[in-house]
């Protein structure tokens, strides 16, 4: 069965097309949602897995975290990159989601953890 993707409403791009999204000179507000808006993070131990990864990446100097708020079904994060982090925001979010997904799947059997995009 072929699905015509044009039949679905198209989401407006949320990012600036000419912006680099790289380097330590900017602060980013990120929202990452749980898959199907499920309340995975209401579980204390599962939430701790995500929070510990934020703290770990901060300790490595990858990011400067100004604040975060982990809600039952999504994460808000205000961050900038460390001086030595030379990848883009999309690279960072992808790596964060990939690592936390692996950890949560191994410990709690939940997969997928995150919704696409951010």
């Amino acid at each position: 069965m072929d699905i015509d993707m044009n039949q679905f409403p198209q989401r407006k791009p949320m990012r600036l097309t000419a912006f680099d999204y790289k380097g330590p000179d900017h602060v980013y507000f990120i929202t990452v949602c749980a898959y199907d808006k499920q309340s995975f993070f209401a579980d204390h131990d599962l939430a701790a897995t995500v929070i510990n990864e934020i703290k770990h990446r901060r300790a490595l100097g990858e990011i400067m975290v100004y604040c975060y708020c982990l809600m039952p079904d999504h994460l808000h994060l205000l961050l900038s990159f460390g001086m030595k982090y030379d990848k883009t925001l999309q690279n960072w979010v992808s790596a964060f989601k990939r690592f936390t997904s692996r950890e949560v799947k191994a410990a709690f059997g939940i997969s997928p953890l995150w919704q696409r995009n951010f």
Side-chain angles (χ1 to χ4, degrees):
M1 175 176 163
D2 290 330
I3 297 175
D4 179 12
M5 295 308 287
N6 292 326
Q7 72 184 3
F8 300 108
Q10 296 298 309
R11 185 174 175 185
K12 289 189 336 188
M14 299 182 82
R15 293 175 197 83
L16 301 171
T17 54
F19 191 75
D20 193 12
Y21 291 98
K22 191 175 181 181
D25 298 330
H26 307 286
V27 177
Y28 303 102
F29 177 74
I30 300 166
T31 300
V32 186
C33 296
Y35 184 75
D36 275 349
K37 301 268 186 178
Q38 295 183 62
S39 297
F40 295 138
F41 311 119
D43 179 290
H44 180 269
D45 294 330
L46 195 151
T49 301
V50 174
I51 292 168
N52 288 339
E53 182 60 14
I54 293 168
K55 291 178 179 180
H56 175 72
R57 289 173 182 264
R58 182 181 64 195
L60 290 175
E62 223 175 74
I63 56 172
M64 166 74 79
V65 178
Y66 299 98
C67 65
Y68 66 87
C69 181
L70 185 60
M71 304 297 286
D73 64 349
H74 65 282
L75 168 68
H76 294 294
L77 187 59
L78 190 65
L79 65 82
S80 60
F81 292 125
M83 295 299 282
K84 294 181 181 177
Y85 190 79
D86 63 348
K87 297 181 178 132
T88 66
L89 179 64
Q90 185 168 353
N91 292 129
W92 188 88
V93 173
S94 294
F96 173 79
K97 288 169 63 174
R98 193 171 40 253
F99 184 82
T100 53
S101 292
R102 265 195 311 257
E103 292 290 305
V104 166
K105 183 177 182 180
F108 304 95
I110 294 172
S111 180
L113 176 63
W114 301 108
Q115 220 170 260
R116 291 181 57 184
N117 297 322
F118 62 98

